[in-house]
Amino acid sequence: MIPNYAARIRALNDDELERFVKDWATRRTRDYVETQRWSGTGDMGRDVVGYVTRQRHEGDWDNFQCKQLSTRLSEREAFVELGKIFMHSAAGEYRLPREYTFVAPKGVVRNVQNYVAHPERFRQAFLDRWGELVAPGLVENQVVPLSPEIRDAIARFDFTSVHWLDAAGLAENEYAVPALVKWFAYDPGAAPAGVTPDLPQDEEAPYIEQLIGLYGARRNKTFADFNAALADPDWGEHLREQRTRYFEAAAFDRYYRDSTPPDYLATFKDDLYHGVVDTHRDQHADGLARVLKVLAQASQVSPAGILGHYAKVPVKQGTCHQFANEGRLPWRK
């Protein structure tokens, strides 16, 4: 049975929904330099915030207002929640947000959908219906009048930036995959195969230089350059295979960096490191013997978790070349 992730999002409690949304927003690195969760008393109408600049609330920011309700978000609730933004912005607590999204797993009522679809009608409704819908609901036991400052905030706000997102829309969002993996053990699938460029890339230089030095030591000669090593009848094919493995690992990293929480890839690499480090430290006949033994050991290591499940032998061996690049497990000591 295919898991229904929208249903699982609808089953989260208030606190869990906010944490899920923060995990989702945090992966929107092209949009935000930082995310923050404001919740509970004193949140001033903010649940999860994405800051567009390091100026945080003094620069552009987006608000995700989470409403885990038993039914769809009502018209009154939508007006009150957005009204809090106008009230607190008018009081100088923060700038008006660049974007405002109702995250309502069960959806929003038709009237709210219509207002979102008609931004200027929405703006006028705030002015016309403030006393009816908004004023009594902003502060407990108080009625907040439509002051000139609040009226100005409503006039300046871009109502085209108001959106709503239900559980299905959230589950299907491209940035939601890492959160689905973390919260519901979603299977991100296998990484695409790596593509090895014909010419060596700058990122490969450290491990390739180390390998070429070891080939030369084994052959008791010095290879003039990469092409000379590649033409060697004994070790040229070995060098080609290592480049293939390196780019298999690079493709693996890119895919799971985007599709799983940040600690998943780090944990995979730590497991692999600890699976080969003792072999690396052993005494060997020469440096090339160390490389061969470590790569053989890497093929036998079974890191835990979903990444370990999808890591084929070339990925694990290519990751060892990444360790050499980083100086974590250098091929030449």
PDB file of all heavy atoms in Angstrom, residues 104-120:
ATOM      1  N   ALA A 104      -2.827  25.024   6.467  1.00  0.00           N
ATOM      2  CA  ALA A 104      -4.015  24.431   7.086  1.00  0.00           C
ATOM      3  C   ALA A 104      -4.204  23.038   6.501  1.00  0.00           C
ATOM      4  O   ALA A 104      -4.734  22.900   5.389  1.00  0.00           O
ATOM      5  CB  ALA A 104      -5.239  25.303   6.820  1.00  0.00           C
ATOM      6  N   PRO A 105      -3.740  22.001   7.190  1.00  0.00           N
ATOM      7  CA  PRO A 105      -3.784  20.650   6.621  1.00  0.00           C
ATOM      8  C   PRO A 105      -5.150  20.228   6.095  1.00  0.00           C
ATOM      9  O   PRO A 105      -5.236  19.512   5.101  1.00  0.00           O
ATOM     10  CB  PRO A 105      -3.331  19.771   7.791  1.00  0.00           C
ATOM     11  CG  PRO A 105      -2.379  20.655   8.538  1.00  0.00           C
ATOM     12  CD  PRO A 105      -3.010  22.021   8.474  1.00  0.00           C
ATOM     13  N   LYS A 106      -6.226  20.674   6.737  1.00  0.00           N
ATOM     14  CA  LYS A 106      -7.558  20.292   6.260  1.00  0.00           C
ATOM     15  C   LYS A 106      -8.118  21.292   5.247  1.00  0.00           C
ATOM     16  O   LYS A 106      -9.267  21.174   4.809  1.00  0.00           O
ATOM     17  CB  LYS A 106      -8.513  20.122   7.439  1.00  0.00           C
ATOM     18  CG  LYS A 106      -8.214  18.879   8.279  1.00  0.00           C
ATOM     19  CD  LYS A 106      -9.279  18.643   9.332  1.00  0.00           C
ATOM     20  CE  LYS A 106      -9.088  17.285  10.005  1.00  0.00           C
ATOM     21  NZ  LYS A 106      -7.825  17.173  10.746  1.00  0.00           N
ATOM     22  N   GLY A 107      -7.316  22.278   4.871  1.00  0.00           N
ATOM     23  CA  GLY A 107      -7.732  23.228   3.856  1.00  0.00           C
ATOM     24  C   GLY A 107      -8.395  24.463   4.433  1.00  0.00           C
ATOM     25  O   GLY A 107      -8.429  24.674   5.652  1.00  0.00           O
ATOM     26  N   VAL A 108      -8.920  25.302   3.555  1.00  0.00           N
ATOM     27  CA  VAL A 108      -9.595  26.540   3.950  1.00  0.00           C
ATOM     28  C   VAL A 108     -10.979  26.556   3.313  1.00  0.00           C
ATOM     29  O   VAL A 108     -11.208  25.930   2.271  1.00  0.00           O
ATOM     30  CB  VAL A 108      -8.786  27.784   3.509  1.00  0.00           C
ATOM     31  CG1 VAL A 108      -7.385  27.757   4.112  1.00  0.00           C
ATOM     32  CG2 VAL A 108      -8.698  27.893   1.991  1.00  0.00           C
ATOM     33  N   VAL A 109     -11.905  27.272   3.929  1.00  0.00           N
ATOM     34  CA  VAL A 109     -13.267  27.325   3.392  1.00  0.00           C
ATOM     35  C   VAL A 109     -13.276  28.081   2.068  1.00  0.00           C
ATOM     36  O   VAL A 109     -12.348  28.818   1.728  1.00  0.00           O
ATOM     37  CB  VAL A 109     -14.242  27.978   4.399  1.00  0.00           C
ATOM     38  CG1 VAL A 109     -14.320  27.159   5.679  1.00  0.00           C
ATOM     39  CG2 VAL A 109     -13.838  29.418   4.690  1.00  0.00           C
ATOM     40  N   ARG A 110     -14.376  27.912   1.320  1.00  0.00           N
ATOM     41  CA  ARG A 110     -14.468  28.486  -0.014  1.00  0.00           C
ATOM     42  C   ARG A 110     -14.312  30.001  -0.007  1.00  0.00           C
ATOM     43  O   ARG A 110     -13.660  30.570  -0.896  1.00  0.00           O
ATOM     44  CB  ARG A 110     -15.815  28.108  -0.639  1.00  0.00           C
ATOM     45  CG  ARG A 110     -16.001  28.621  -2.059  1.00  0.00           C
ATOM     46  CD  ARG A 110     -15.047  27.959  -3.027  1.00  0.00           C
ATOM     47  NE  ARG A 110     -15.369  26.544  -3.183  1.00  0.00           N
ATOM     48  CZ  ARG A 110     -14.624  25.689  -3.877  1.00  0.00           C
ATOM     49  NH1 ARG A 110     -13.508  26.105  -4.449  1.00  0.00           N
ATOM     50  NH2 ARG A 110     -14.979  24.419  -3.974  1.00  0.00           N
ATOM     51  N   ASN A 111     -14.883  30.680   0.979  1.00  0.00           N
ATOM     52  CA  ASN A 111     -14.769  32.138   1.012  1.00  0.00           C
ATOM     53  C   ASN A 111     -13.318  32.589   1.129  1.00  0.00           C
ATOM     54  O   ASN A 111     -12.917  33.584   0.521  1.00  0.00           O
ATOM     55  CB  ASN A 111     -15.594  32.713   2.165  1.00  0.00           C
ATOM     56  CG  ASN A 111     -17.063  32.829   1.819  1.00  0.00           C
ATOM     57  OD1 ASN A 111     -17.466  32.542   0.688  1.00  0.00           O
ATOM     58  ND2 ASN A 111     -17.877  33.243   2.786  1.00  0.00           N
ATOM     59  N   VAL A 112     -12.526  31.863   1.921  1.00  0.00           N
ATOM     60  CA  VAL A 112     -11.110  32.209   2.046  1.00  0.00           C
ATOM     61  C   VAL A 112     -10.397  31.961   0.720  1.00  0.00           C
ATOM     62  O   VAL A 112      -9.570  32.771   0.280  1.00  0.00           O
ATOM     63  CB  VAL A 112     -10.449  31.415   3.188  1.00  0.00           C
ATOM     64  CG1 VAL A 112      -8.938  31.649   3.213  1.00  0.00           C
ATOM     65  CG2 VAL A 112     -11.057  31.805   4.528  1.00  0.00           C
ATOM     66  N   GLN A 113     -10.718  30.865   0.068  1.00  0.00           N
ATOM     67  CA  GLN A 113     -10.136  30.599  -1.248  1.00  0.00           C
ATOM     68  C   GLN A 113     -10.452  31.743  -2.211  1.00  0.00           C
ATOM     69  O   GLN A 113      -9.587  32.192  -2.972  1.00  0.00           O
ATOM     70  CB  GLN A 113     -10.676  29.285  -1.810  1.00  0.00           C
ATOM     71  CG  GLN A 113     -10.258  28.047  -1.033  1.00  0.00           C
ATOM     72  CD  GLN A 113     -10.830  26.778  -1.639  1.00  0.00           C
ATOM     73  OE1 GLN A 113     -10.995  26.660  -2.849  1.00  0.00           O
ATOM     74  NE2 GLN A 113     -11.146  25.810  -0.789  1.00  0.00           N
ATOM     75  N   ASN A 114     -11.688  32.213  -2.169  1.00  0.00           N
ATOM     76  CA  ASN A 114     -12.092  33.293  -3.067  1.00  0.00           C
ATOM     77  C   ASN A 114     -11.367  34.595  -2.752  1.00  0.00           C
ATOM     78  O   ASN A 114     -10.964  35.331  -3.662  1.00  0.00           O
ATOM     79  CB  ASN A 114     -13.607  33.507  -2.990  1.00  0.00           C
ATOM     80  CG  ASN A 114     -14.380  32.411  -3.702  1.00  0.00           C
ATOM     81  OD1 ASN A 114     -13.869  31.785  -4.632  1.00  0.00           O
ATOM     82  ND2 ASN A 114     -15.612  32.161  -3.267  1.00  0.00           N
ATOM     83  N   TYR A 115     -11.203  34.889  -1.467  1.00  0.00           N
ATOM     84  CA  TYR A 115     -10.477  36.108  -1.107  1.00  0.00           C
ATOM     85  C   TYR A 115      -9.017  36.027  -1.569  1.00  0.00           C
ATOM     86  O   TYR A 115      -8.467  37.002  -2.099  1.00  0.00           O
ATOM     87  CB  TYR A 115     -10.536  36.342   0.401  1.00  0.00           C
ATOM     88  CG  TYR A 115     -11.798  37.021   0.864  1.00  0.00           C
ATOM     89  CD1 TYR A 115     -12.589  36.463   1.872  1.00  0.00           C
ATOM     90  CD2 TYR A 115     -12.203  38.236   0.311  1.00  0.00           C
ATOM     91  CE1 TYR A 115     -13.748  37.089   2.306  1.00  0.00           C
ATOM     92  CE2 TYR A 115     -13.363  38.869   0.738  1.00  0.00           C
ATOM     93  CZ  TYR A 115     -14.132  38.289   1.732  1.00  0.00           C
ATOM     94  OH  TYR A 115     -15.281  38.919   2.149  1.00  0.00           O
ATOM     95  N   VAL A 116      -8.381  34.880  -1.362  1.00  0.00           N
ATOM     96  CA  VAL A 116      -6.990  34.726  -1.790  1.00  0.00           C
ATOM     97  C   VAL A 116      -6.883  34.884  -3.305  1.00  0.00           C
ATOM     98  O   VAL A 116      -5.914  35.449  -3.823  1.00  0.00           O
ATOM     99  CB  VAL A 116      -6.434  33.359  -1.333  1.00  0.00           C
ATOM    100  CG1 VAL A 116      -5.069  33.085  -1.957  1.00  0.00           C
ATOM    101  CG2 VAL A 116      -6.325  33.314   0.194  1.00  0.00           C
ATOM    102  N   ALA A 117      -7.897  34.420  -4.013  1.00  0.00           N
ATOM    103  CA  ALA A 117      -7.897  34.515  -5.476  1.00  0.00           C
ATOM    104  C   ALA A 117      -8.205  35.923  -5.975  1.00  0.00           C
ATOM    105  O   ALA A 117      -7.997  36.227  -7.155  1.00  0.00           O
ATOM    106  CB  ALA A 117      -8.904  33.526  -6.059  1.00  0.00           C
ATOM    107  N   HIS A 118      -8.712  36.794  -5.093  1.00  0.00           N
ATOM    108  CA  HIS A 118      -9.056  38.171  -5.471  1.00  0.00           C
ATOM    109  C   HIS A 118      -8.394  39.126  -4.475  1.00  0.00           C
ATOM    110  O   HIS A 118      -9.038  39.600  -3.525  1.00  0.00           O
ATOM    111  CB  HIS A 118     -10.574  38.374  -5.477  1.00  0.00           C
ATOM    112  CG  HIS A 118     -11.289  37.528  -6.476  1.00  0.00           C
ATOM    113  ND1 HIS A 118     -11.672  36.228  -6.214  1.00  0.00           N
ATOM    114  CD2 HIS A 118     -11.681  37.790  -7.758  1.00  0.00           C
ATOM    115  CE1 HIS A 118     -12.279  35.733  -7.279  1.00  0.00           C
ATOM    116  NE2 HIS A 118     -12.289  36.657  -8.232  1.00  0.00           N
ATOM    117  N   PRO A 119      -7.110  39.425  -4.665  1.00  0.00           N
ATOM    118  CA  PRO A 119      -6.347  40.179  -3.659  1.00  0.00           C
ATOM    119  C   PRO A 119      -6.942  41.534  -3.283  1.00  0.00           C
ATOM    120  O   PRO A 119      -6.988  41.874  -2.091  1.00  0.00           O
ATOM    121  CB  PRO A 119      -4.974  40.340  -4.322  1.00  0.00           C
ATOM    122  CG  PRO A 119      -4.879  39.195  -5.276  1.00  0.00           C
ATOM    123  CD  PRO A 119      -6.263  38.990  -5.788  1.00  0.00           C
ATOM    124  N   GLU A 120      -7.401  42.304  -4.248  1.00  0.00           N
ATOM    125  CA  GLU A 120      -7.928  43.627  -3.904  1.00  0.00           C
ATOM    126  C   GLU A 120      -9.275  43.522  -3.202  1.00  0.00           C
ATOM    127  O   GLU A 120      -9.599  44.350  -2.340  1.00  0.00           O
ATOM    128  CB  GLU A 120      -8.025  44.504  -5.150  1.00  0.00           C
ATOM    129  CG  GLU A 120      -6.668  44.941  -5.680  1.00  0.00           C
ATOM    130  CD  GLU A 120      -5.802  45.577  -4.586  1.00  0.00           C
ATOM    131  OE1 GLU A 120      -6.310  46.440  -3.834  1.00  0.00           O
ATOM    132  OE2 GLU A 120      -4.614  45.202  -4.471  1.00  0.00           O
TER     133      GLU A 120
END
